[in-house]
Amino acid sequence: MNWDDESAYAEPPAGDRLVATAADGEDRAVEAALRPKDLGEFVGQERVREQLDLVLKAARARGATADHVLLSGAPGLGKTTLSMIIAAEMGAPIRITSGPAIQHAGDLAAILSSLTEGEVLFLDEIHRMSRPAEEMLYMAMEDFRVDVIVGKGPGATAIPLELPPFTLVGATTRAGLLPPPLRDRFGFTGHMEFYAPAELQRVVHRSARLLDVEIEDQGAAEIAGRSRGTPRIANRLLRRVRDYAQVKADGVITREIAAQALDVYEVDARGLDRLDRAVLTALLKLFGGGPVGLSTLAVAVGEERETVEEVAEPFLVREGLLARTPRGRIATPAAWEHLGLVNDAGTAGRAGTPPQQGLFGG
Ligand SMILES: Nc1ncnc2c1ncn2[C@@H]1O[C@H](COP(=O)(O)OP(=O)(O)OP(=O)(O)O)[C@@H](O)[C@H]1O
């Protein structure tokens, strides 16, 4: 996983996609109830959990405020949840804000100057902060001090303001976009990975328990397998499957019920939705697996170029179903297999030809 590849996680707001990684209104309403409250309850991310546990235990033993923490990774993997756990483990209050909400250095100064000793400041999307605010943050992180500028022009003066020690938890989907001086000021950086199906299965079981939904192991596995490695998606799919189980069955989520429900919602066994499959189908059936230009592919599926590039492609690339080459987009052998077109050589056009040539060419 290349954490500096910012395009890997660029995804616009959820819209009506069930498999979107961004949170929608309904997610926000239930997420608070589903958030693990301590490191023991937090599923997966073994490495980050273990490292963070050491950082927090050591700080507690010293009676000190924990070092600043940077969490990087795709949306919905648990960065906000982890920041709340850090505060809880330190017995400290937490203040939550985000980069886009801090456009002026004054906005940041107001927040920083109102922090109490040991408080955790969670700054989501830290890469989207304005430059002047970012520069103020450098000094605040290092020296627990800010210079507040009073007045304008030649008469402006900087008034130093001491801050109580605090822990900044920065979250970013794009670690590569952070300027090195900012990155270097974090004492600990945790890279959040996509979750394995078995881990997501545990997330689903846990959420089902909290939502008072009866679910069988195989039902949880079915939902986990379609959740694109992301707990937020797993929780969202669980809620839709619960609806289906209530209306069409006796409320219990079995493997069959989960599969039927997610088929209704057009989320397939590998987690692809209608748009993902439309892109792949066009690539295979209309263009023989490529290479084909992005604009042509977008026209073929009746979508904007940006939608195909930013919404569908990142997951298809991650899944090894599609590759971006200098000559255009190509389908991998796994794409043919997934859509059941591998043995389709007898049909019209080149639909049955696996795109062996030029797979890495161009
Ligand atoms: N490790 C985990 N174990 C159990 N539930 C989790 C875990 N990680 C995330 N979740 C659940 O997934 C949902 C999304 O998590 P969270 O809001 O922390 O993600 P995020 O990375 O901060 O997303 P974003 O970057 O979009 O804000 C929450 O409901 C949370 O409870």
Side-chain angles (χ1 to χ4, degrees), residues 300-351:
V301 291
E303 291 287 353
E304 297 296 322
R305 189 187 146 93
E306 290 73 25
T307 308
V308 173
E309 186 172 29
E310 293 168 19
V311 179
E313 277 190 359
F315 180 65
L316 295 176
V317 170
R318 204 180 101 208
E319 281 289 289
L321 295 168
L322 178 146
R324 293 166 169 162
T325 75
R327 288 189 297 140
R329 273 51 178 172
I330 56 169
T332 66
W336 293 88
E337 201 175 320
H338 184 63
L339 292 191
L341 292 172
V342 169
N343 298 318
D344 207 17
T347 57
R350 296 161 55 209

Side-chain angles (χ1 to χ4, degrees), residues 31 34-36 42-43 75-81 195 231-232 235:
E31 273 182 2
L34 297 182
R35 280 187 206 289
F42 193 81
V43 175
L77 296 187
K79 298 183 294 299
T80 308
T81 305
Y195 290 68
R232 171 172 292 137
N235 284 340

Side-chain angles (χ1 to χ4, degrees), residues 198-216:
E199 293 169 340
L200 285 181
Q201 201 175 331
R202 281 163 55 203
V203 171
V204 171
H205 267 303
R206 183 180 168 276
S207 300
R209 209 168 43 246
L210 293 170
L211 294 171
D212 208 10
V213 177
E214 207 177 318
I215 187 164
E216 293 183 355

Side-chain angles (χ1 to χ4, degrees), residues 11-152:
E11 189 174 326
D16 57 1
R17 289 186 89 210
L18 213 51
V19 291
T21 44
D24 65 15
E26 189 190 342
D27 291 327
R28 292 197 197 288
V30 286
E31 273 182 2
L34 297 182
R35 280 187 206 289
K37 302 280 185 283
D38 56 42
L39 277 180
E41 263 189 76
F42 193 81
V43 175
Q45 309 292 345
E46 303 300 340
R47 187 138 28 113
V48 173
R49 227 155 30 107
E50 191 182 336
Q51 293 167 343
L52 205 50
D53 192 38
L54 286 172
V55 170
L56 300 181
K57 276 196 178 125
R60 274 205 307 266
R62 290 193 303 268
T65 301
D67 260 354
H68 303 303
V69 174
L70 179 66
L71 299 174
S72 71
L77 296 187
K79 298 183 294 299
T80 308
T81 305
L82 214 42
S83 74
M84 291 178 172
I85 290 176
I86 290 171
E89 299 264 341
M90 294 305 290
I94 183 166
R95 188 87 56 97
I96 296 182
T97 186
S98 72
I102 299 176
Q103 281 317 310
H104 306 287
D107 300 337
L108 183 64
I111 294 171
L112 291 172
S113 62
S114 64
L115 292 175
T116 56
E117 182 162 349
E119 191 159 353
V120 171
L121 173 63
F122 177 59
L123 229 169
D124 204 3
E125 296 189 78
I126 193 168
H127 58 277
R128 292 181 61 196
M129 226 174 11
S130 72
R131 180 44 70 100
E134 200 175 274
E135 277 165 11
M136 174 179 274
L137 194 59
Y138 295 162
M139 196 195 276
M141 290 172 78
E142 200 152 283
D143 302 330
F144 296 112
R145 188 169 68 87
V146 289
D147 281 340
V148 179
I149 309 293
V150 179
K152 278 195 173 137

